[in-house]
Coordinates of all heavy atoms in Angstrom, one line a residue:
M4 N 32.2 110.7 141.7 CA 32.9 110.7 140.4 C 31.9 111.1 139.3 O 30.7 110.8 139.3 CB 33.4 109.3 140.2 CG 33.9 109.1 138.8 SD 35.2 107.8 138.5 CE 36.5 108.4 139.4
D5 N 32.5 111.8 138.4 CA 31.7 112.3 137.3 C 31.9 111.4 136.1 O 33.0 110.9 135.8 CB 32.2 113.7 136.9 CG 31.4 114.4 135.8 OD1 30.3 113.9 135.5 OD2 32.0 115.3 135.2
V6 N 30.8 111.1 135.4 CA 30.9 110.2 134.2 C 31.9 110.8 133.2 O 32.6 110.0 132.5 CB 29.5 110.1 133.6 CG1 29.5 109.2 132.3 CG2 28.5 109.5 134.6
A7 N 32.0 112.1 133.0 CA 32.9 112.6 132.0 C 34.3 112.3 132.3 O 35.1 112.3 131.4 CB 32.7 114.2 132.0
S8 N 34.7 112.0 133.5 CA 36.1 111.6 133.9 C 36.4 110.2 133.6 O 37.6 109.8 133.7 CB 36.4 112.0 135.3 OG 35.6 111.1 136.2
L9 N 35.4 109.4 133.2 CA 35.6 108.0 132.9 C 36.1 107.8 131.5 O 35.7 108.5 130.6 CB 34.3 107.2 133.1 CG 33.7 107.1 134.5 CD1 32.4 106.5 134.5 CD2 34.7 106.4 135.5
T10 N 37.0 106.8 131.3 CA 37.5 106.5 130.0 C 36.3 105.7 129.2 O 35.4 105.2 129.9 CB 38.7 105.6 130.0 OG1 38.4 104.3 130.5 CG2 39.8 106.2 130.8
D11 N 36.5 105.7 127.9 CA 35.5 104.9 127.1 C 35.4 103.5 127.6 O 34.4 102.9 127.7 CB 35.8 105.0 125.7 CG 35.7 106.4 125.1 OD1 35.2 107.3 125.8 OD2 36.1 106.6 123.9
A12 N 36.6 102.9 127.8 CA 36.7 101.5 128.3 C 36.0 101.3 129.6 O 35.3 100.3 129.8 CB 38.1 101.0 128.3
Q13 N 36.1 102.3 130.5 CA 35.5 102.2 131.8 C 34.0 102.3 131.7 O 33.3 101.5 132.3 CB 36.0 103.2 132.8 CG 37.4 103.0 133.2 CD 38.0 104.2 134.0 OE1 37.7 105.3 133.7 NE2 38.9 103.9 134.9
V14 N 33.5 103.2 130.9 CA 32.1 103.3 130.6 C 31.5 102.0 130.1 O 30.5 101.5 130.5 CB 31.7 104.5 129.7 CG1 30.3 104.4 129.3 CG2 32.0 105.8 130.4
F15 N 32.2 101.4 129.1 CA 31.8 100.2 128.5 C 31.7 99.0 129.5 O 30.7 98.3 129.6 CB 32.7 99.8 127.3 CG 32.5 98.6 126.6 CD1 31.3 98.4 125.9 CD2 33.4 97.5 126.6 CE1 31.1 97.2 125.2 CE2 33.2 96.3 126.0 CZ 32.0 96.2 125.3
A16 N 32.8 98.9 130.3 CA 32.8 97.8 131.3 C 31.8 98.1 132.4 O 31.2 97.1 132.8 CB 34.3 97.8 131.9
L17 N 31.7 99.3 132.9 CA 30.7 99.6 133.9 C 29.3 99.3 133.4 O 28.4 98.8 134.2 CB 30.8 101.0 134.4 CG 32.0 101.3 135.3 CD1 32.1 102.8 135.5 CD2 31.8 100.6 136.6
T18 N 29.0 99.5 132.2 CA 27.7 99.3 131.6 C 27.4 97.8 131.7 O 26.3 97.4 132.1 CB 27.5 99.8 130.2 OG1 27.8 101.2 130.2 CG2 26.1 99.6 129.7
G19 N 28.3 97.0 131.3 CA 28.1 95.5 131.4 C 27.9 95.1 132.8 O 27.0 94.2 133.1
W20 N 28.7 95.6 133.7 CA 28.6 95.3 135.1 C 27.3 95.8 135.7 O 26.6 95.0 136.4 CB 29.8 95.8 135.9 CG 29.8 95.5 137.3 CD1 30.2 94.3 137.9 CD2 29.4 96.3 138.4 NE1 30.0 94.3 139.3 CE2 29.5 95.5 139.6 CE3 28.9 97.6 138.5 CZ2 29.2 96.1 140.9 CZ3 28.6 98.1 139.8 CH2 28.8 97.3 140.9
G21 N 26.9 97.0 135.4 CA 25.7 97.6 136.0 C 24.4 97.0 135.5 O 23.5 96.8 136.2
E22 N 24.4 96.5 134.3 CA 23.2 95.9 133.7 C 23.1 94.4 134.1 O 22.0 93.9 134.1 CB 23.2 96.0 132.2 CG 23.1 97.4 131.7 CD 21.7 98.0 131.9 OE1 20.7 97.3 131.7 OE2 21.7 99.2 132.4
A23 N 24.2 93.8 134.4 CA 24.1 92.3 134.7 C 25.0 91.9 135.8 O 25.5 90.8 135.9 CB 24.5 91.6 133.4
R24 N 25.2 92.8 136.8 CA 26.1 92.5 137.9 C 25.7 91.3 138.8 O 26.5 90.7 139.5 CB 26.3 93.7 138.8 CG 25.2 94.2 139.5 CD 25.5 95.6 140.2 NE 24.4 96.1 140.9 CZ 24.0 95.7 142.1 NH1 24.7 94.8 142.8 NH2 23.0 96.2 142.7
N25 N 24.4 91.0 138.7 CA 23.9 89.8 139.5 C 23.9 88.6 138.7 O 23.4 87.6 139.2 CB 22.5 90.1 140.1 CG 21.5 90.3 139.0 OD1 21.9 90.6 137.8 ND2 20.2 90.2 139.3
Q26 N 24.5 88.6 137.5 CA 24.5 87.4 136.7 C 26.0 86.9 136.5 O 26.9 87.7 136.8 CB 24.0 87.8 135.3 CG 22.5 88.2 135.3 CD 22.0 88.6 133.9 OE1 22.5 88.2 132.9 NE2 21.0 89.5 133.9
P27 N 26.1 85.7 136.0 CA 27.5 85.3 135.7 C 28.2 86.2 134.7 O 27.5 86.9 134.0 CB 27.4 83.8 135.3 CG 25.9 83.7 135.0 CD 25.1 84.7 135.7
V28 N 29.4 86.0 134.5 CA 30.2 86.8 133.5 C 29.5 86.7 132.1 O 29.5 87.7 131.4 CB 31.7 86.3 133.5 CG1 32.4 86.9 132.3 CG2 32.4 86.6 134.8
E29 N 29.0 85.6 131.8 CA 28.3 85.4 130.5 C 27.2 86.4 130.3 O 27.0 86.9 129.2 CB 27.8 84.0 130.3 CG 28.8 82.9 130.3 CD 29.4 82.5 131.6 OE1 28.8 82.9 132.7 OE2 30.3 81.7 131.6
G30 N 26.5 86.8 131.3 CA 25.4 87.8 131.2 C 26.0 89.1 130.9 O 25.5 89.9 130.1
Q31 N 27.1 89.4 131.5 CA 27.8 90.7 131.3 C 28.4 90.8 129.9 O 28.3 91.8 129.2 CB 28.9 91.0 132.3 CG 28.3 91.1 133.7 CD 29.3 91.2 134.8 OE1 30.4 91.6 134.6 NE2 29.0 90.7 136.0
V32 N 28.9 89.6 129.4 CA 29.4 89.6 128.0 C 28.2 89.8 127.1 O 28.4 90.4 126.0 CB 30.1 88.2 127.8 CG1 30.4 88.0 126.3 CG2 31.4 88.2 128.6
A33 N 27.1 89.2 127.4 CA 25.9 89.4 126.5 C 25.5 90.9 126.4 O 25.2 91.4 125.3 CB 24.7 88.6 127.0
V34 N 25.6 91.6 127.5 CA 25.4 93.0 127.5 C 26.4 93.7 126.6 O 26.1 94.6 125.8 CB 25.4 93.7 128.9 CG1 25.3 95.2 128.8 CG2 24.2 93.1 129.7
A35 N 27.7 93.3 126.7 CA 28.7 93.9 125.9 C 28.4 93.7 124.4 O 28.7 94.6 123.6 CB 30.1 93.3 126.2
W36 N 27.9 92.5 124.0 CA 27.6 92.2 122.6 C 26.4 93.1 122.2 O 26.4 93.6 121.0 CB 27.3 90.8 122.4 CG 28.5 90.0 122.2 CD1 29.1 89.1 123.1 CD2 29.4 90.0 121.0 NE1 30.2 88.6 122.5 CE2 30.4 89.1 121.3 CE3 29.3 90.7 119.8 CZ2 31.5 88.9 120.4 CZ3 30.4 90.5 118.9 CH2 31.4 89.6 119.2
V37 N 25.5 93.4 123.0 CA 24.4 94.3 122.7 C 24.9 95.7 122.4 O 24.5 96.3 121.4 CB 23.3 94.3 123.8 CG1 22.3 95.5 123.6 CG2 22.6 93.0 123.9
I38 N 25.8 96.1 123.2 CA 26.4 97.5 123.0 C 27.2 97.5 121.7 O 27.0 98.4 120.9 CB 27.4 97.8 124.2 CG1 26.6 97.9 125.5 CG2 28.2 99.1 123.9 CD1 27.5 97.9 126.8
K39 N 28.0 96.5 121.4 CA 28.7 96.4 120.2 C 27.8 96.4 119.0 O 28.0 97.1 118.0 CB 29.6 95.1 120.2 CG 30.2 94.8 118.9 CD 31.4 95.7 118.5 CE 32.2 95.2 117.4 NZ 31.7 95.6 116.1
H40 N 26.7 95.6 119.1 CA 25.7 95.6 118.0 C 25.1 96.9 117.7 O 25.0 97.4 116.6 CB 24.7 94.5 118.3 CG 23.6 94.4 117.3 ND1 23.8 93.9 116.0 CD2 22.3 94.9 117.3 CE1 22.6 94.0 115.3 NE2 21.8 94.6 116.1
R41 N 24.7 97.6 118.8 CA 24.1 98.9 118.7 C 25.1 99.9 118.1 O 24.7 100.8 117.3 CB 23.6 99.4 120.0 CG 22.4 98.6 120.5 CD 21.8 99.1 121.8 NE 20.7 98.3 122.2 CZ 19.9 98.5 123.2 NH1 20.2 99.5 124.0 NH2 18.9 97.7 123.5
A42 N 26.4 99.8 118.4 CA 27.4 100.7 117.9 C 27.5 100.5 116.4 O 27.8 101.5 115.7 CB 28.7 100.5 118.6
D43 N 27.3 99.3 115.9 CA 27.4 99.0 114.5 C 26.2 99.6 113.7 O 26.3 99.7 112.5 CB 27.4 97.5 114.3 CG 28.7 96.9 114.7 OD1 29.7 97.6 114.8 OD2 28.7 95.7 114.9
F44 N 25.2 100.1 114.4 CA 24.0 100.7 113.7 C 23.7 102.0 114.4 O 22.7 102.2 115.0 CB 22.8 99.7 113.9 CG 23.0 98.4 113.1 CD1 23.5 97.3 113.8 CD2 22.7 98.3 111.8 CE1 23.7 96.1 113.1 CE2 22.9 97.2 111.1 CZ 23.4 96.0 111.8
P45 N 24.6 103.0 114.2 CA 24.5 104.3 114.9 C 23.3 105.1 114.6 O 22.8 105.9 115.4 CB 25.8 105.0 114.4 CG 26.2 104.4 113.2 CD 25.8 102.9 113.3
R46 N 22.7 104.9 113.4 CA 21.5 105.6 113.1 C 20.4 105.4 114.1 O 19.6 106.3 114.4 CB 21.0 105.2 111.7 CG 19.8 106.0 111.2 CD 19.5 105.7 109.8 NE 18.3 106.4 109.4 CZ 17.7 106.3 108.2 NH1 18.2 105.4 107.4 NH2 16.7 107.0 107.9
W47 N 20.3 104.2 114.6 CA 19.2 103.9 115.5 C 19.6 104.0 117.0 O 18.8 104.2 117.8 CB 18.6 102.5 115.2 CG 18.0 102.4 113.9 CD1 16.8 102.9 113.6 CD2 18.4 101.7 112.8 NE1 16.5 102.6 112.3 CE2 17.5 101.9 111.7 CE3 19.6 101.0 112.5 CZ2 17.6 101.3 110.5 CZ3 19.7 100.4 111.2 CH2 18.8 100.6 110.2
W48 N 20.9 103.7 117.2 CA 21.3 103.5 118.6 C 22.3 104.5 119.1 O 22.7 104.4 120.3 CB 21.9 102.1 118.8 CG 20.9 101.0 118.4 CD1 21.0 100.2 117.3 CD2 19.8 100.6 119.1 NE1 19.9 99.4 117.3 CE2 19.2 99.6 118.4 CE3 19.1 101.0 120.3 CZ2 18.0 98.9 118.8 CZ3 18.0 100.4 120.7 CH2 17.4 99.4 119.9
G49 N 22.7 105.5 118.3 CA 23.5 106.5 118.8 C 25.0 106.3 118.8 O 25.8 107.1 119.4
G50 N 25.5 105.3 118.1 CA 26.9 105.0 118.0 C 27.6 106.1 117.1 O 27.0 107.1 116.8
P51 N 28.7 105.8 116.5 CA 29.4 104.5 116.5 C 30.3 104.2 117.7 O 30.8 103.1 117.8 CB 30.2 104.5 115.2 CG 30.6 106.0 115.1 CD 29.4 106.7 115.6
E52 N 30.5 105.2 118.5 CA 31.3 104.9 119.7 C 30.6 104.1 120.8 O 29.4 104.4 121.0 CB 31.8 106.3 120.3 CG 32.6 107.1 119.4 CD 31.7 108.0 118.5 OE1 30.5 108.2 118.8 OE2 32.2 108.4 117.5
L53 N 31.3 103.2 121.4 CA 30.6 102.4 122.4 C 30.2 103.3 123.6 O 29.1 103.1 124.1 CB 31.6 101.3 122.9 CG 32.1 100.3 121.9 CD1 33.2 99.4 122.5 CD2 31.0 99.5 121.3
R54 N 31.0 104.3 123.9 CA 30.6 105.2 125.0 C 29.3 105.9 124.7 O 28.4 106.0 125.6 CB 31.7 106.2 125.2 CG 31.4 107.2 126.3 CD 32.4 108.4 126.2 NE 32.3 109.2 127.4 CZ 33.0 109.0 128.5 NH1 33.8 108.0 128.6 NH2 32.8 109.8 129.5
S55 N 29.1 106.4 123.5 CA 27.9 107.1 123.2 C 26.6 106.2 123.2 O 25.6 106.6 123.6 CB 28.0 107.8 121.8 OG 28.1 106.9 120.8
V56 N 26.8 104.9 122.9 CA 25.7 104.0 122.9 C 25.4 103.7 124.4 O 24.2 103.7 124.8 CB 26.1 102.6 122.3 CG1 25.1 101.5 122.6 CG2 26.2 102.8 120.8
C57 N 26.4 103.5 125.2 CA 26.2 103.2 126.7 C 25.4 104.4 127.4 O 24.6 104.2 128.2 CB 27.5 103.0 127.4 SG 28.3 101.5 126.9
L58 N 25.8 105.6 127.0 CA 25.3 106.8 127.8 C 24.1 107.4 127.1 O 23.6 108.4 127.7 CB 26.5 107.8 127.9 CG 27.7 107.3 128.7 CD1 28.7 108.4 128.8 CD2 27.2 106.9 130.2
R59 N 23.7 106.9 126.0 CA 22.5 107.5 125.3 C 21.3 107.3 126.3 O 21.1 106.3 126.8 CB 22.2 106.8 124.0 CG 21.1 107.5 123.3 CD 21.0 107.0 121.9 NE 19.9 107.7 121.2 CZ 19.6 107.5 119.9 NH1 20.4 106.7 119.2 NH2 18.6 108.2 119.4
P60 N 20.6 108.4 126.5 CA 19.4 108.3 127.4 C 18.5 107.2 127.1 O 18.2 106.9 125.9 CB 18.7 109.7 127.2 CG 19.8 110.6 126.7 CD 20.7 109.7 125.9
Q61 N 18.1 106.5 128.2 CA 17.2 105.4 128.1 C 17.7 104.1 127.4 O 16.9 103.2 127.2 CB 15.8 105.8 127.5 CG 15.3 107.1 128.2 CD 15.1 107.0 129.7 OE1 14.5 106.0 130.2 NE2 15.5 108.0 130.4
Q62 N 18.9 104.1 127.1 CA 19.5 102.8 126.4 C 19.7 101.8 127.5 O 19.3 100.6 127.3 CB 20.8 103.1 125.7 CG 20.6 104.0 124.5 CD 19.9 103.2 123.4 OE1 20.2 102.0 123.2 NE2 19.0 103.9 122.7
F63 N 20.4 102.1 128.5 CA 20.8 101.2 129.6 C 20.4 101.8 130.9 O 20.9 102.8 131.3 CB 22.3 100.8 129.5 CG 22.6 100.1 128.3 CD1 23.2 100.8 127.2 CD2 22.4 98.7 128.2 CE1 23.5 100.1 126.0 CE2 22.7 98.1 127.0 CZ 23.3 98.8 125.9
S64 N 19.5 101.2 131.6 CA 18.9 101.8 132.8 C 19.9 102.1 133.9 O 19.7 103.0 134.7 CB 17.7 100.9 133.3 OG 18.3 99.6 133.7
S65 N 21.0 101.3 133.9 CA 22.0 101.6 134.9 C 22.6 103.0 134.9 O 23.1 103.5 135.8 CB 23.0 100.5 134.9 OG 23.7 100.5 133.6
W66 N 22.5 103.7 133.7 CA 23.0 105.0 133.6 C 21.9 106.1 133.8 O 22.2 107.3 133.8 CB 23.7 105.2 132.2 CG 25.0 104.5 132.1 CD1 25.3 103.5 131.3 CD2 26.2 104.9 132.8 NE1 26.6 103.1 131.5 CE2 27.2 104.0 132.4 CE3 26.5 105.8 133.8 CZ2 28.5 104.0 132.9 CZ3 27.8 105.9 134.3 CH2 28.8 105.0 133.9
N67 N 20.7 105.7 134.0 CA 19.6 106.7 134.2 C 19.8 107.4 135.5 O 20.1 106.7 136.5 CB 18.2 106.0 134.1 CG 17.9 105.5 132.8 OD1 18.5 105.8 131.8 ND2 16.9 104.6 132.7
E68 N 19.5 108.7 135.5 CA 19.6 109.4 136.8 C 18.6 108.8 137.8 O 17.5 108.4 137.4 CB 19.2 110.9 136.6 CG 20.2 111.6 135.8 CD 21.5 111.9 136.5 OE1 21.5 111.9 137.7 OE2 22.5 112.1 135.8
G69 N 19.0 108.6 139.0 CA 18.1 108.0 140.0 C 18.1 106.5 140.1 O 17.6 105.9 141.0
D70 N 18.7 105.8 139.1 CA 18.8 104.4 139.1 C 19.9 104.0 140.2 O 21.0 104.5 140.2 CB 19.2 103.8 137.8 CG 19.2 102.3 137.7 OD1 20.0 101.6 138.4 OD2 18.3 101.7 137.0
P71 N 19.6 103.1 141.1 CA 20.5 102.7 142.1 C 21.8 102.1 141.6 O 22.9 102.2 142.2 CB 19.8 101.7 143.0 CG 18.5 101.3 142.3 CD 18.3 102.4 141.3
N72 N 21.8 101.5 140.4 CA 23.0 100.9 139.9 C 24.0 102.0 139.4 O 25.2 101.8 139.4 CB 22.6 100.0 138.7 CG 22.1 98.7 139.2 OD1 22.6 98.1 140.1 ND2 21.0 98.2 138.6
R73 N 23.4 103.2 139.0 CA 24.3 104.2 138.6 C 25.2 104.6 139.7 O 26.5 104.8 139.6 CB 23.5 105.4 138.1 CG 24.4 106.6 137.7 CD 23.5 107.8 137.3 NE 24.3 109.0 137.0 CZ 24.5 109.4 135.8 NH1 24.0 108.8 134.7 NH2 25.3 110.5 135.6
A74 N 24.7 104.8 140.9 CA 25.5 105.2 142.1 C 26.5 104.1 142.4 O 27.6 104.4 142.8 CB 24.6 105.4 143.3
K75 N 26.1 102.8 142.3 CA 27.0 101.7 142.6 C 28.2 101.7 141.5 O 29.3 101.5 141.9 CB 26.3 100.4 142.6 CG 25.3 100.3 143.7 CD 24.5 99.0 143.7 CE 23.6 99.0 144.9 NZ 22.6 98.1 144.8
M76 N 27.8 102.0 140.3 CA 28.9 102.0 139.2 C 29.9 103.1 139.5 O 31.1 102.9 139.4 CB 28.3 102.1 137.8 CG 27.5 100.9 137.4 SD 26.9 101.0 135.7 CE 26.1 102.6 135.5
L77 N 29.4 104.3 139.8 CA 30.2 105.4 140.0 C 31.1 105.3 141.3 O 32.2 105.7 141.3 CB 29.4 106.7 140.0 CG 28.8 107.1 138.7 CD1 27.9 108.3 138.9 CD2 29.8 107.3 137.6
A78 N 30.5 104.7 142.3 CA 31.3 104.4 143.5 C 32.4 103.4 143.2 O 33.5 103.5 143.7 CB 30.3 103.8 144.6
L79 N 32.1 102.4 142.4 CA 33.1 101.4 142.0 C 34.2 102.0 141.3 O 35.4 101.8 141.6 CB 32.4 100.3 141.2 CG 33.3 99.2 140.7 CD1 33.9 98.4 141.8 CD2 32.6 98.3 139.7
A80 N 33.9 102.9 140.4 CA 34.9 103.7 139.6 C 35.7 104.6 140.6 O 37.0 104.7 140.5 CB 34.3 104.5 138.5
E81 N 35.1 105.2 141.5 CA 35.7 106.1 142.5 C 36.8 105.4 143.3 O 37.8 105.9 143.6 CB 34.6 106.7 143.4 CG 35.2 107.7 144.4 CD 35.6 109.0 143.7 OE1 34.9 109.5 142.8 OE2 36.5 109.6 144.2
R82 N 36.5 104.1 143.7 CA 37.5 103.4 144.5 C 38.4 102.6 143.6 O 39.0 101.6 144.0 CB 36.8 102.5 145.5 CG 35.9 101.5 145.1 CD 35.3 100.7 146.3 NE 34.5 99.6 145.8 CZ 33.2 99.5 145.7 NH1 32.5 100.5 145.9 NH2 32.7 98.4 145.2
G83 N 38.5 103.0 142.3 CA 39.5 102.3 141.4 C 39.2 100.9 141.0 O 40.0 100.1 140.8
F84 N 37.9 100.6 141.0 CA 37.4 99.3 140.5 C 37.8 98.2 141.5 O 38.0 97.1 141.1 CB 37.8 99.0 139.1 CG 37.2 99.9 138.1 CD1 37.8 101.1 137.7 CD2 35.9 99.6 137.6 CE1 37.2 102.0 136.8 CE2 35.3 100.5 136.7 CZ 36.0 101.7 136.3
V85 N 38.0 98.6 142.8 CA 38.4 97.6 143.8 C 37.2 97.2 144.6 O 36.5 98.1 145.0 CB 39.6 98.2 144.7 CG1 39.9 97.3 145.8 CG2 40.8 98.5 143.8
G86 N 37.1 96.0 144.9 CA 36.1 95.5 145.8 C 35.1 94.6 145.1 O 35.0 94.6 143.8
D87 N 34.4 93.9 145.8 CA 33.3 93.0 145.3 C 33.9 92.0 144.3 O 33.1 91.4 143.5 CB 32.2 93.8 144.7 CG 31.5 94.8 145.6 OD1 31.5 94.4 146.8 OD2 31.1 95.8 145.2
N88 N 35.2 91.8 144.2 CA 35.8 90.9 143.3 C 35.3 91.2 141.9 O 35.1 90.2 141.1 CB 35.6 89.5 143.7 CG 36.5 88.5 143.0 OD1 37.6 88.9 142.6 ND2 36.1 87.3 142.8
V89 N 35.1 92.4 141.5 CA 34.5 92.8 140.3 C 35.5 93.0 139.1 O 35.1 92.7 138.0 CB 33.6 94.0 140.4 CG1 34.4 95.2 140.6 CG2 32.7 94.2 139.3
W90 N 36.7 93.4 139.4 CA 37.6 93.7 138.3 C 37.9 92.6 137.3 O 37.8 92.8 136.1 CB 38.9 94.4 138.8 CG 39.7 94.8 137.6 CD1 40.9 94.3 137.1 CD2 39.3 95.8 136.6 NE1 41.3 95.0 136.0 CE2 40.3 95.9 135.7 CE3 38.2 96.7 136.5 CZ2 40.3 96.8 134.6 CZ3 38.2 97.6 135.4 CH2 39.2 97.6 134.5
P91 N 38.1 91.3 137.8 CA 38.2 90.2 136.9 C 37.0 90.1 136.0 O 37.2 89.7 134.8 CB 38.4 89.0 137.8 CG 38.9 89.5 139.1 CD 38.2 90.9 139.2
Q92 N 35.9 90.4 136.4 CA 34.7 90.3 135.6 C 34.6 91.4 134.5 O 34.4 91.1 133.4 CB 33.4 90.3 136.5 CG 33.2 89.1 137.3 CD 31.9 89.2 138.1 OE1 31.6 90.2 138.7 NE2 31.1 88.1 138.0
I93 N 34.8 92.6 135.0 CA 34.6 93.7 134.0 C 35.8 93.8 133.0 O 35.7 94.2 131.9 CB 34.3 95.1 134.6 CG1 35.4 95.5 135.6 CG2 33.0 95.1 135.3 CD1 35.2 96.9 136.2
E94 N 37.0 93.3 133.5 CA 38.1 93.3 132.6 C 37.9 92.2 131.5 O 38.4 92.4 130.4 CB 39.4 92.9 133.4 CG 40.7 93.0 132.6 CD 41.8 92.7 133.5 OE1 41.8 91.7 134.3 OE2 42.8 93.5 133.5
W95 N 37.2 91.2 131.8 CA 36.9 90.1 130.9 C 36.0 90.6 129.7 O 36.1 90.1 128.6 CB 36.2 88.9 131.6 CG 36.4 87.6 131.0 CD1 37.4 86.8 131.2 CD2 35.5 86.9 130.2 NE1 37.2 85.6 130.4 CE2 36.0 85.7 129.8 CE3 34.2 87.3 129.6 CZ2 35.4 84.8 129.0 CZ3 33.6 86.4 128.8 CH2 34.2 85.1 128.5
I96 N 35.2 91.5 130.0 CA 34.3 92.1 129.0 C 35.1 92.8 128.0 O 35.0 92.7 126.8 CB 33.2 93.0 129.6 CG1 32.3 92.3 130.5 CG2 32.4 93.7 128.5 CD1 31.4 93.1 131.3

């Protein structure tokens, strides 16, 4: 799956999941708040769109080329966000 084919909401949710997938939902929500905060300050963080903040190089390691979480996030999107009981978590974000 190509990142360009993902919706803004999917990129946002996958970022929360990819950065904190081994944490409880609260950890993923914390990542979501970081993204939101950065979008509010586009001069420094590349917003104002949540997608642009998430995908800005070196912002969130899960989107870096070669990061194992990137492959896991794209595979999750490829299978329609099914599996690993993850959709309730990323939908909550």
Side-chain angles (χ1 to χ4, degrees):
M4 169 152 297
D5 181 22
V6 176
S8 66
L9 297 171
T10 68
D11 293 353
Q13 288 172 329
V14 169
F15 178 64
L17 284 170
T18 304
W20 182 79
E22 292 292 316
R24 65 186 179 83
N25 63 342
Q26 298 178 25
V28 172
E29 293 82 7
Q31 296 173 28
V32 170
V34 172
W36 276 108
V37 167
I38 296 166
K39 170 72 170 86
H40 176 75
R41 289 180 181 184
D43 289 341
F44 296 93
R46 182 174 178 187
W47 295 289
W48 302 108
E52 299 83 19
L53 299 177
R54 177 189 192 91
S55 63
V56 170
C57 293
L58 297 177
R59 186 169 180 174
Q61 307 304 314
Q62 289 291 320
F63 295 96
S64 63
S65 58
W66 287 112
N67 292 345
E68 292 291 334
D70 187 291
N72 284 315
R73 180 185 174 103
K75 291 174 182 170
M76 292 186 313
L77 294 176
L79 179 64
E81 182 74 34
R82 62 180 189 260
F84 296 91
V85 175
D87 303 326
N88 196 27
V89 71
W90 187 247
Q92 289 182 312
I93 59 177
E94 187 177 49
W95 205 82
I96 295 170

